[in-house]
Amino acid sequence: MSGGGEIWTSRRAAAALAGEIRVPGDKSISHRAVMFAALADGVSRISGFLEGEDTRATARAFAAMGVRIEQPSASLRIVHGVGLHGLSAPAAAIDCGNAGTGMRLLTGILAGQAFDSTLIGDESLSRRPMRRVIEPLTRMGARIDSQDGGLPPLRVHGGRRLNGIDYALPVASAQVKSALLLAGLYADGETAISEPHPTRDYTERMLAAFGWPIAFAAGTARLSGGHALRATDVVVPADFSSAAFFLVAACLVPGSDLLLREVGINPRRTGLLDALVLMGADITRENPRELGGEAVADLRVRHAPLHGIDVPEALVPDMIDEFPILFVAAAAASGRTRISGAAELRVKESDRIAVMARGLRALSVRIDETPDGAVIEGGRLGGGEVDSAGDHRCAMSFAVAGLIAGGEIRIADCANVATSFPGFLALANDCGFDVG
Ligand code: S3P
């Protein structure tokens, strides 16, 4: 899919943002829940499943490999698992759409199958680096053909015997870690992964919940092949990365008081909370509890003036998806914000440093790009025309900017917001945005 011609206009908030909302289910957890349920023995029920294009593409991929998946109602999936070795060859190429998570994790699973398969994606996904999974999977014994430069489409050869691997990830990436652990389910011997900085641990936690023996701690994970996954029910919390747009919006609009319900607060995801608090935000975690084995809380955010900071590099992996909205918070804050150690942003759904810098400049913000970040002079944002480059998170970030800009913001190429956040416009307008 492509961002296409969808253009939004975001206007200044007429009043404070207020209300209680629940944003849709977590994207990372929804992808994994479908994958593990498909490979398990027995029937699993996934509630709170994200009805986004990315996660629906993953469900379609498993349906195309013979897994029966029922959808009795929105956000509910009943998955009839076929067992670790029960997938059948898909009749056509598997289309992962815009989803890097879908493609990288599937590559790990498909490397262990008896059949050949092909993975394709949209224009953005077709530009994203896959060598980071191909190279270690090849060392495990897989055979994967890519286009020049390690780009999709990928051809994954089946019938290969895989061995475990002891691998230190060169970049902190939960997708790469997960792809290797998933291939490790099919491998002889032990697969041991270490990371330069701990990343989200949903794969590890969910494998354990599905009954696979796994040892993990922050920055390391280790498992052996030859076991089985047992069906289990998964309850998906609200996605912190979708909540992030509302957290920043309520910080910025005077008088705001918003409650975001049941948000996943796994510490490997909530770096933005720490950064915003350093900037002066007023955010509290209410009613912290467990939901389906994950920590959740209701996040209450009230308006507070923000000031610029040097974003601690240690926070970067814990807020890797939140930089587009942090750029907007920094542009609206008083003083200077420095971001460094975030070169990975250049290989996300878009080059997020370049797209946000170009957009903010068009809104009269002073911003200098660096290879691994940016220096942003905060203060005021003007109106203007910006291009989200088909990147869902950049589009929603510019929509938030419109709430406090001097004039209206026209945002090009917004259709891909449906990949992660269907219903964003309705929810945003319900709590006081003027966007559409
Ligand atoms: C994800 C991992 C991160 C993140 C992405 C989802 C996951 O990617 O940016 O949105 O679900 O494992 P990387 O592994 O490339 O950092």
Side-chain angles (χ1 to χ4, degrees):
M1 85 214 64
S2 125
E6 194 169 321
I7 296 174
W8 291 354
T9 303
S10 178
R11 298 187 180 84
R12 217 176 159 78
L17 306 184
E20 285 192 27
I21 57 172
R22 188 192 192 276
V23 300
D26 187 279
K27 179 150 73 76
S28 293
I29 295 177
S30 296
H31 277 298
R32 288 163 172 81
V34 168
M35 293 177 179
F36 299 171
L39 298 176
D41 296 310
V43 179
S44 302
R45 183 188 159 94
I46 306 170
S47 43
F49 179 75
L50 170 64
E51 296 290 356
E53 288 173 9
D54 278 12
T55 43
R56 290 162 70 108
T58 290
R60 268 198 307 275
F62 284 91
M65 292 188 282
V67 180
R68 194 170 137 230
I69 302 176
E70 294 174 78
Q71 185 187 347
S73 58
S75 305
L76 181 61
R77 291 290 189 284
I78 312 276
V79 181
H80 297 257
V82 294
L84 207 60
H85 300 282
L87 297 178
S88 48
I94 293 173
D95 189 351
C96 300
N98 191 244
T101 306
M103 184 173 282
R104 294 196 176 110
L105 271 59
L106 268 165
T107 305
I109 292 170
L110 292 171
Q113 304 304 315
F115 51 82
D116 293 355
S117 50
T118 301
L119 291 166
I120 60 173
D122 72 359
E123 204 184 305
S124 150
L125 184 53
S126 299
R127 283 193 304 265
R128 298 185 65 188
M130 295 296 149
R131 199 171 272 148
R132 52 181 63 194
V133 288
I134 296 172
E135 199 265 328
L137 287 171
T138 303
R139 281 211 238 163
M140 295 176 78
R143 194 174 144 213
I144 300 163
D145 305 325
S146 65
Q147 310 309 301
D148 285 350
L151 300 179
L154 302 181
R155 179 81 180 153
V156 186
H157 295 260
R160 310 280 300 179
R161 185 161 189 156
L162 304 184
N163 358 337
I165 191 173
D166 189 341
Y167 190 68
L169 294 185
V171 286
S173 165
Q175 293 177 0
V176 178
K177 170 179 65 175
S178 302
L180 302 183
L181 290 173
L182 288 167
L185 305 185
Y186 292 92
D188 293 331
E190 186 175 86
T191 294
I193 311 292
S194 62
E195 309 175 271
H197 188 285
T199 64
R200 64 193 72 188
D201 55 2
Y202 300 128
T203 297
E204 298 90 308
R205 297 165 68 84
M206 214 182 283
L207 282 173
F210 277 80
W212 196 284
I214 176 167
F216 64 98
T220 62
R222 169 188 305 271
L223 57 73
S224 295
H227 303 280
L229 293 168
R230 245 188 352 255
T232 191
D233 293 345
V234 179
V235 185
V236 184
D239 196 321
F240 182 86
S241 294
S242 295
F245 304 105
F246 292 92
L247 289 176
V248 171
C251 286
L252 298 186
V253 177
S256 295
D257 185 349
L258 266 187
L259 187 73
L260 298 160
R261 273 190 276 107
E262 224 170 57
V263 182
I265 52 164
N266 182 310
R268 299 282 73 84
R269 294 292 300 284
T270 51
L272 178 76
L273 274 185
D274 302 331
L276 288 174
V277 167
L278 290 173
M279 295 173 83
D282 177 359
I283 303 174
T284 51
R285 300 167 191 225
E286 298 183 355
N287 193 14
R289 58 206 184 271
E290 274 222 345
L291 182 73
E294 279 292 328
V296 301
D298 303 326
L299 300 178
R300 163 149 261 130
V301 49
R302 296 184 180 87
H303 166 72
L306 301 184
H307 55 80
I309 57 166
D310 288 357
V311 178
E313 285 197 11
L315 286 182
V316 168
D318 295 344
M319 57 183 290
I320 194 63
D321 294 331
E322 277 58 77
F323 279 95
I325 192 60
L326 180 81
F327 273 59
V328 170
S334 60
R336 175 178 301 163
T337 292
R338 287 194 191 81
I339 297 164
S340 59
E344 274 293 296
L345 296 178
R346 296 204 179 271
V347 291
K348 294 293 181 188
E349 287 83 329
S350 69
D351 175 342
R352 287 182 169 160
I353 297 175
V355 169
M356 293 308 299
R358 228 177 7 247
L360 290 176
R361 248 179 245 125
L363 304 176
S364 311
V365 176
R366 276 175 52 207
I367 171 165
D368 286 323
E369 257 185 69
T370 62
D372 66 342
V375 181
I376 302 164
E377 304 293 342
R380 293 168 56 82
L381 292 95
E385 298 202 354
V386 301
D387 187 350
S388 75
D391 185 319
H392 55 136
R393 299 203 198 283
C394 296
M396 290 183 275
S397 299
F398 288 127
V400 172
L403 291 168
I404 43 106
E408 68 178 34
I409 300 180
R410 278 169 61 81
I411 312 160
D413 214 353
C414 294
N416 275 344
V417 167
T419 61
S420 70
F421 201 155
F424 170 77
L425 287 178
L427 208 53
N429 288 322
D430 269 359
C431 60
F433 283 58
D434 179 358
V435 61

